[in-house]
Amino acid sequence: MAEITDSIEVPEPGRSQDDNKPRRGGKRAKKGPLGRLALFYRQIVAELRKVVWPTKKQLSTYTTVVIIFVLVVIGLVTVIDWGFTEVVKYVFG
């Protein structure tokens, strides 16, 4: 019967057992602060190109819905505030 021991070492994927050097940051470690900043900016631009922007009609519809919702909430809060004011006036005279 074979014994199971805890001493079996499995190397990380992509690394050999001879390669015991600490891993660096790859390409980012070779660049200075301005190079990293430029890389960050290029990544931002690349992500913004993936965004599906709304059309003018969709944007105006969304804006109208938000404005109407805000007005409704303002009205609701006003009515509740007026009601609490009247209750406090009645209770405390």
Side-chain angles (χ1 to χ4, degrees), residues 39-50:
L39 174 65
F40 180 68
Y41 178 73
R42 285 194 305 271
Q43 289 174 343
I44 288 173
V45 171
E47 288 298 321
L48 283 175
R49 287 186 180 153
K50 296 177 186 178

Side-chain angles (χ1 to χ4, degrees), residues 3-87:
E3 279 188 38
I4 299 175
T5 61
D6 293 337
S7 63
I8 299 173
E9 293 184 23
V10 179
E12 292 181 34
R15 295 181 74 182
S16 65
Q17 286 182 328
D18 300 334
D19 189 17
N20 289 330
K21 297 178 187 175
R23 296 179 77 181
R24 297 282 179 170
K27 292 182 180 180
R28 286 184 281 176
K30 297 177 185 175
K31 296 181 181 178
L34 292 178
R36 289 194 306 253
L37 187 62
L39 174 65
F40 180 68
Y41 178 73
R42 285 194 305 271
Q43 289 174 343
I44 288 173
V45 171
E47 288 298 321
L48 283 175
R49 287 186 180 153
K50 296 177 186 178
V51 173
V52 178
W53 297 99
T55 62
K56 286 186 179 183
K57 184 178 179 183
Q58 289 173 331
L59 188 62
S60 65
T61 301
Y62 298 156
T63 304
T64 304
V65 167
V66 168
I67 290 173
I68 290 172
F69 178 76
V70 167
L71 291 175
V72 167
V73 170
I74 288 172
L76 183 67
V77 169
T78 302
V79 168
I80 291 172
D81 182 51
W82 177 79
F84 281 136
T85 302
E86 292 300 317
V87 168

